[in-house]
Amino acid sequence: MLLTAEEFQSRRFELPVGGSWCELLAGELVQYQAPDEIYGNVVLRLSKALAQFAQSHPHRAGAICFDLGVIVERRPDTLLFPAVSHFAESGPFELSGEELTERVPNLVVEIASTPDRRRYLAGKIAAYLRAGVDEIWTIDETATGIEVVSQTEPPRRVVGTAALSSRRILDGFQVVADQLFAAPEWWNPGPRN
């Protein structure tokens, strides 16, 4: 039986781990493996960089949301939970408290942290593009790089000391690719005296 986005959301907390690692693809429930520690580190570093950008550029920041359910297709429904979604035309807190939206984000960030997430990634990117998402950043932990797919430009890969940025969407935002993958200082503090 195919589910709608609303049915999924109403049953979400009955799912394992409260539905935290689940999405709806063409009406079918997909449950992913829990992400690893690197995923959390990448999300933390990206969140920090986006928060600094939003504080220093409040008139350009729009709404930056984390784990907001984005309905990208209907009949059957596809409901995705990108790590980050950005809505340029919204105020900073306009989507606060919402669990799902049919608004089309300008930018989404996906993190390819497990084999099952990588398996579904191409279909999810295609769904985002069909829905009208301007740009998709896919952060691949295994390759320590970011794939950028856009409606208007050829795909590109950002690695090493290259800066991840988007003049069209988050003008002024940038973060060095390697910084997203760097282990926090507390992770390996070195020898103690």
Side-chain angles (χ1 to χ4, degrees):
M1 176 178 134
L2 298 181
L3 296 174
T4 66
E6 290 77 14
E7 289 168 336
F8 170 88
Q9 190 61 26
S10 71
R11 299 177 187 171
R12 186 171 183 194
F13 297 106
E14 299 167 11
L15 300 170
V17 198
S20 292
W21 314 120
C22 297
E23 292 182 320
L24 198 60
L25 303 178
E28 302 215 5
L29 179 68
V30 175
Q31 183 174 351
Y32 302 106
Q33 296 169 291
D36 58 17
E37 294 165 354
I38 296 171
Y39 174 98
N41 184 48
V42 169
V43 171
L44 178 67
R45 290 189 177 276
L46 181 59
S47 301
K48 183 178 178 182
L50 287 167
Q52 289 171 342
F53 172 78
Q55 289 173 354
S56 60
H57 300 86
H59 59 288
R60 284 187 276 163
I64 300 169
C65 303
F66 300 89
D67 292 317
L68 174 65
V70 179
I71 302 167
V72 294
E73 294 176 325
R74 287 288 196 177
R75 294 178 210 86
D77 292 2
T78 294
L79 170 63
L80 304 176
F81 290 86
V84 179
S85 50
H86 173 263
F87 301 82
E89 301 302 318
S90 298
F93 303 106
E94 194 171 322
L95 296 165
S96 293
E98 289 197 31
E99 296 175 346
L100 306 178
T101 186
E102 289 193 68
R103 291 186 190 188
V104 177
N106 300 88
L107 167 73
V108 295
V109 179
E110 286 282 346
I111 301 179
S113 57
T114 56
D116 52 357
R117 283 180 175 81
R118 286 184 201 91
R119 183 177 335 119
Y120 290 104
L121 195 56
K124 290 168 66 171
I125 290 171
Y128 285 130
L129 292 172
R130 283 192 304 271
V133 175
D134 295 319
E135 201 163 281
I136 301 107
W137 297 349
T138 302
I139 300 174
D140 188 341
E141 296 177 7
T142 59
T144 59
I146 301 104
E147 296 290 333
V148 178
V149 176
S150 164
Q151 294 278 3
T152 58
E153 298 172 12
R156 62 186 164 95
R157 184 162 174 73
V158 181
V159 295
T161 58
L164 174 64
S165 63
S166 178
R167 278 177 267 131
R168 291 183 322 103
I169 299 170
L170 291 170
D171 187 23
F173 173 80
Q174 67 176 12
V175 63
V176 173
D178 279 350
Q179 290 176 351
L180 292 177
F181 299 100
E185 292 176 20
W186 53 265
W187 208 321
N188 185 10
R192 294 182 182 207
N193 293 332

